[in-house]
Amino acid sequence: EVQLQESGPGLVKPSQSLSLTCSVTGYSITSNYWGWIRKFPGNKMEWMGYISYSGSTSYNPSLKSRISITRDTSKNQFFLQLNSVTTEDTATYYCASQWDYFDYWGQGVMVTVSS
Amino acid sequence: DVVLTQSPATLSVTPGERISLSCRASESVDTYLHWYQQKPNESPRLLIKYASQSISGIPSRFSGSGSGTDFTLSINGVELEDLSIYYCQQGNSLPYTFGAGTKLELK
């Protein structure tokens, strides 16, 4: 069974970078696509981007040049970096396996942006 | 971006009744429309993919229909455990987008 688990700091200061790790077990990240989704207070959901089995990436244009998704195939992990965060980036961040839908999700990590 | 409009925002339900939730897309998404359930303090769970395809392990009371711009998630015989937020999501074009959700609450 595919399992995903997010990890990373729960508090980030404005203007700094948010960095999260998604550890995957039960499936190789060199297969399929692997994405990041966030849920804002108030329940709005946003797809942020994905990294593919080959390492190619696709990002939500709303995040412009602030986002980067990378991976470490030796550890079966992929990563999210979001630069220049503001309070508007306060959300619960999920990693998930994806096609054009999201079938397996991590438990989520709540990240607050505050000084 | 494709905008998904879900209605109603909140639905008060009685256990046992059949209900329908709506999701309308701002442009055609063919059948690339998927439904999720999210209970408090849990991750979203995929309920229906490609508008009407069932998912292993999901109770048969959940069903989906529609194509193009109008979609429906039906629950035939609501149970207390179904009190959650339901989201639709389109996978037809990037960026993938979600509806704002419909919250089921107890009447």
Side-chain angles (χ1 to χ4, degrees):
Chain A
E1 181 185 353
V2 183
Q3 293 189 324
L4 300 93
Q5 182 159 344
E6 306 88 349
S7 58
L11 181 64
V12 180
K13 294 187 186 313
S15 80
Q16 294 188 345
S17 293
L18 178 163
S19 296
L20 299 176
T21 297
C22 183
S23 301
V24 180
T25 57
Y27 207 83
S28 171
I29 64 168
T30 59
S31 299
N32 207 2
Y33 292 74
W34 305 90
W36 288 95
I37 305 102
R38 61 183 178 176
K39 181 178 178 179
F40 299 99
N43 296 328
K44 177 185 173 184
M45 299 271 282
E46 178 181 62
W47 170 76
M48 301 180 71
Y50 69 67
I51 188 164
S52 78
Y53 55 89
S54 66
S56 64
T57 55
S58 179
Y59 301 132
N60 193 321
S62 70
L63 297 168
K64 298 179 183 178
S65 58
R66 295 199 297 138
I67 186 174
S68 176
I69 299 176
T70 58
R71 65 179 184 170
D72 184 338
T73 57
S74 68
K75 295 182 178 179
N76 217 40
Q77 295 175 327
F78 63 105
F79 312 100
L80 170 70
Q81 181 170 318
L82 186 65
N83 299 322
S84 305
V85 298
T86 72
T87 56
E88 303 289 305
D89 294 308
T90 293
T92 298
Y93 288 76
Y94 297 95
C95 59
S97 65
Q98 69 162 93
W99 296 101
D100 54 89
Y101 56 87
F102 307 94
D103 47 1
Y104 294 95
W105 296 67
Q107 85 283 358
V109 59
M110 186 170 181
V111 178
T112 301
V113 179
S114 175
S115 55
Chain B
D1 298 2
V2 177
V3 176
L4 298 178
T5 302
Q6 291 188 244
S7 60
T10 304
L11 184 61
S12 298
V13 301
T14 300
E17 70 176 305
R18 176 181 171 88
I19 64 166
S20 294
L21 310 182
S22 173
C23 178
R24 181 164 292 178
S26 60
E27 61 187 74
S28 176
V29 297
D30 196 350
T31 57
Y32 290 86
L33 192 286
H34 317 296
W35 291 95
Y36 302 83
Q37 175 193 58
Q38 187 172 30
K39 298 181 180 181
N41 301 314
E42 293 186 8
S43 305
R45 177 173 70 152
L46 180 65
L47 288 180
I48 298 287
K49 63 181 180 181
Y50 300 116
S52 62
Q53 293 185 17
S54 58
I55 302 296
S56 175
I58 300 300
S60 59
R61 62 181 180 275
F62 292 94
S63 63
S65 64
S67 67
T69 60
D70 289 313
F71 300 87
T72 300
L73 174 70
S74 299
I75 308 177
N76 190 11
V78 171
E79 299 190 4
L80 287 177
E81 66 179 20
D82 300 336
L83 300 180
S84 308
I85 300 175
Y86 293 84
Y87 294 96
C88 57
Q89 174 252 321
Q90 66 84 19
N92 186 62
S93 60
L94 293 172
Y96 300 138
T97 52
F98 291 82
T102 291
K103 183 178 181 180
L104 290 193
E105 63 178 25
L106 194 62
K107 185 178 291 183

